[in-house]
Amino acid sequence: MAHPRTNISIREGCRQIAGLLATARSTSNSNTLACPEGLSQVLDFLRVNWHLGFTAFGSPPVHFQIFHRKFVEKEKWIDEQLYQEIFAICQATPGPGSTKMFFVINYIHGGFVAGLFAFILWCLPGALGMYGLSLGVSRIGDKLPAPVYALLSGLNAATVGIIALAAVQLAEKAITDQLTRMLVFLGGVAGMLYTALWYYPVLMFAAGVSTVIWDYHWLHTLFRPFWRSRDPALQVEEQQGQIENPPTIALDSHGEDNNHLHLRRIPVSTQETSPPVPPGLQANSPRSGPSQESVRVVPSSIELNIIDWKSGIYIFIAFFTSFLTIMILRSLLKSPPLGLSLFNNLYLAGTIIFGGGPVVIPLLREYIVAEGWVSPRDFLLGLAIIQAFPGPNFNFAVYLGALATANSSLPSFAGALIGAAGIFTPGLVIITGIMGFWTVLRSKRWLLSLLRGVNAGAVGLVFTAVYKLWQIGYVDGITGNGNPLGGDPWWVAVTAGSFVGGKWFGMSAPLAILAGGALGLVWYAVIKA
């Protein structure tokens, strides 16, 4: 018969062995799950992003709508307020607006490497297509078949309608009160009346400053003598009611769901009294002041995987050092190699372009065609095709870089890489650095007011893009130049058809563009053939 102590020691040993096996099993399970979890994240990243570079037709304003449906409504990688903040920041900084936004959304969700791979997936299909187009254009004669010009005009007309619809939809989200409604209108009108490199950033900055001045009531004292005086007894009664029941205020004044760039909860201080506001202004401006702070609650499901402000400073220093070095080389070398000159021009263009597509067109014409590297006809041909290509319009630089080096010692593929690196790098580097400061400043009251105005001004410039593309949409087969689409009612009907098809019948952008090209061929068969 076994001794009791022996039984106890046996039982204790069994317990220890069982504990070790349980620990080993849990460790094994955790190690087993580590790889599939990382793999699942990669697969989820590819599932969300892989197809956008092939299917995102219609230029940046349409891309913004695609991103909203994909990342806010469906995947919920970011919420509505984050989307509006990112949109305003991307529009207020140089470089390609929709590409930066796509990069930042993936950067926030998965880190810098995820953002970089998303950028490659986004750009690569259109870049390869534009490079293939450059190879074909470099081998054609001086004259294209007449149906080709009709096809290009139809593609352009349909694209203008799609962009006009996107502008209307963006305006519906950007307008939060009467002030932002006015800023959208003034931004669109001002952008149509004048064009310069410095002009668009000044317009957006002025729009942002105007909302800060409005929200903080800095100019209200100037108009106070013209406001109707109110009964003092009524004012005292209202103030007592505010002390008993302090209200909360949001920038969205239309009673809609809180989907705009605004302060979700702003407690009004009971220690300060605001100047009386006339009835026409009370419904459209928040009663807030510099002493008040906003409460920004980011949903727990959203992660902000971005750099800190110190890293942002280092990135800015590195960028401006590279920019000064390139500009100095550009000025000191009397006969620089073609590759260096091409990179210098496109790097400069990528640094000073604000507003995206509407500005890049005349600027690249100045920096590429005026240098004698690409003919005006080939430039206009690529411009018409890029409107019908998916992905960023800045892939136009790939086409121009390949054509610029087609008849030189450099291979055309090298020219395409130089074009892509020169035009995309500045915007991506700058937005990466800015995101470090954004994490610190994004809860500030004045920054939210500033971004609200910048957002409205940027949407106004989208309407400017519609006008500018309208002015060069019809490709004349005789002269090879771009003319206004209004010169023939047919193109007006095609533009209106793509707008109405997308607005009321849910027609997708690729289908609308293909239909526009087909209608262009119909126009040629009826009118010219």
Side-chain angles (χ1 to χ4, degrees):
M1 185 173 180
H3 195 275
R5 289 185 177 180
T6 304
N7 292 335
I8 293 173
S9 62
I10 292 174
R11 286 197 297 270
E12 185 65 27
C14 290
R15 289 194 192 97
Q16 292 177 358
I17 292 172
L20 291 174
L21 290 175
T23 303
R25 189 181 300 111
S26 63
T27 304
S28 175
N29 290 339
S30 63
N31 291 336
T32 303
L33 293 174
C35 180
E37 183 180 0
L39 180 61
S40 67
Q41 292 177 353
V42 173
L43 293 177
D44 183 63
F45 167 83
L46 292 175
R47 174 187 63 82
V48 174
N49 291 293
W50 75 269
H51 63 284
L52 291 175
F54 295 94
T55 60
F57 293 86
S59 81
V62 184
H63 299 162
F64 293 132
Q65 296 298 101
I66 294 173
F67 297 160
H68 187 276
R69 290 193 297 268
K70 169 69 72 174
F71 298 112
V72 178
E73 299 175 5
K74 184 178 179 181
E75 302 297 335
K76 301 187 185 305
W77 282 9
I78 58 175
D79 64 355
E80 181 67 33
Q81 185 168 342
L82 274 175
Y83 175 87
Q84 296 291 344
E85 292 175 12
I86 296 169
F87 173 78
I89 292 172
C90 290
Q91 291 296 92
T93 52
S98 60
T99 300
K100 289 184 298 181
M101 192 165 190
F102 186 70
F103 166 77
V104 168
I105 291 173
N106 281 273
Y107 178 22
I108 288 175
H109 181 73
F112 178 78
V113 175
L116 192 60
F117 275 104
F119 161 74
I120 295 174
L121 290 175
W122 168 249
C123 295
L124 190 59
L128 292 176
M130 292 306 292
Y131 175 65
L133 177 66
S134 70
L135 296 180
V137 170
S138 64
R139 289 170 172 79
I140 63 176
D142 296 334
K143 195 76 172 177
L144 290 173
V148 173
Y149 294 104
L151 172 67
L152 297 177
S153 299
L155 296 175
N156 284 345
T159 302
V160 170
I162 293 171
I163 298 175
L165 174 60
V168 172
Q169 293 171 338
L170 289 172
E172 291 173 351
K173 293 184 177 296
I175 293 173
T176 60
D177 54 14
Q178 295 290 3
L179 176 62
T180 47
R181 181 175 286 112
M182 183 62 68
L183 290 176
V184 170
F185 168 73
L186 293 178
V189 171
M192 288 187 290
L193 294 177
Y194 184 71
T195 300
L197 295 179
W198 55 269
Y199 187 54
Y200 286 176
V202 169
L203 285 179
M204 288 187 287
F205 179 75
V209 171
S210 65
T211 51
V212 173
I213 293 174
W214 177 265
D215 291 346
Y216 279 72
H217 290 188
W218 288 343
L219 294 182
H220 285 194
T221 55
L222 297 178
F223 299 97
R224 190 182 304 174
F226 304 99
W227 296 344
R228 264 188 318 184
S229 60
R230 304 180 62 190
D231 187 359
L234 181 59
Q235 292 184 15
V236 172
E237 183 179 347
E238 289 181 353
Q239 291 175 5
Q240 291 177 350
Q242 289 180 356
I243 293 175
E244 294 175 0
N245 301 301
T248 58
I249 293 178
L251 291 180
D252 187 356
S253 60
H254 295 288
E256 302 172 356
D257 55 346
N258 294 335
N259 284 336
H260 301 296
L261 178 60
H262 61 273
L263 308 184
R264 296 184 175 179
R265 292 195 298 275
I266 309 173
V268 177
S269 174
T270 59
Q271 302 299 323
E272 301 177 0
T273 58
S274 301
V277 184
L281 298 179
Q282 286 177 351
N284 296 318
S285 63
R287 299 285 297 273
S288 57
S291 63
Q292 297 162 343
E293 295 181 356
S294 64
V295 180
R296 172 68 171 104
V297 179
V298 178
S300 58
S301 60
I302 298 176
E303 298 181 4
L304 301 179
N305 300 309
I306 50 183
I307 62 175
D308 57 13
W309 65 272
K310 293 181 180 179
S311 300
I313 292 178
Y314 296 144
I315 290 174
F316 272 118
I317 292 175
F319 170 74
F320 285 112
T321 300
S322 67
F323 180 77
L324 290 175
T325 302
I326 290 173
M327 292 303 102
I328 290 173
L329 288 175
R330 187 173 186 264
S331 60
L332 292 181
L333 297 177
K334 294 182 179 180
S335 299
L338 175 60
L340 179 60
S341 298
L342 180 63
F343 182 79
N344 284 348
N345 284 17
L346 292 174
Y347 196 83
L348 177 60
T351 304
I352 63 178
I353 288 176
F354 290 81
V359 185
V360 74
I361 294 169
L363 188 62
L364 289 182
R365 187 181 183 93
E366 179 68 22
Y367 283 1
I368 301 296
V369 177
E371 295 281 356
W373 298 332
V374 176
S375 68
R377 190 220 50 185
D378 292 348
F379 180 90
L380 187 63
L381 196 63
L383 178 61
I385 294 294
I386 192 64
Q387 305 300 326
F389 263 51
N393 281 354
F394 275 50
N395 277 334
F396 191 30
V398 174
Y399 167 84
L400 296 176
L403 282 182
T405 57
N407 297 319
S408 68
S409 58
L410 284 174
S412 60
F413 186 74
L417 290 177
I418 291 173
I423 202 73
F424 282 112
T425 299
L428 294 182
V429 173
I430 291 173
I431 197 66
T432 302
I434 285 178
M435 294 308 293
F437 294 97
W438 176 71
T439 55
V440 178
L441 299 176
R442 65 187 303 270
S443 62
K444 300 300 182 181
R445 172 72 179 82
W446 62 267
L447 181 62
L448 293 178
S449 291
L450 182 74
L451 291 180
R452 188 167 68 98
V454 170
N455 190 28
V459 171
L461 292 178
V462 175
F463 288 95
T464 297
V466 175
Y467 169 76
K468 290 185 178 295
L469 292 174
W470 174 275
Q471 292 299 102
I472 60 173
Y474 171 60
V475 184
D476 189 354
I478 299 175
T479 63
N481 295 323
N483 297 310
L485 291 169
D488 191 310
W490 182 262
W491 308 123
V492 180
V494 173
T495 301
S498 64
F499 180 93
V500 171
K503 178 68 174 177
W504 292 341
F505 300 100
M507 180 182 291
S508 64
L511 181 59
I513 292 174
L514 290 175
L519 290 173
L521 294 177
V522 170
W523 173 86
Y524 173 79
V526 173
I527 303 298
K528 298 293 185 179

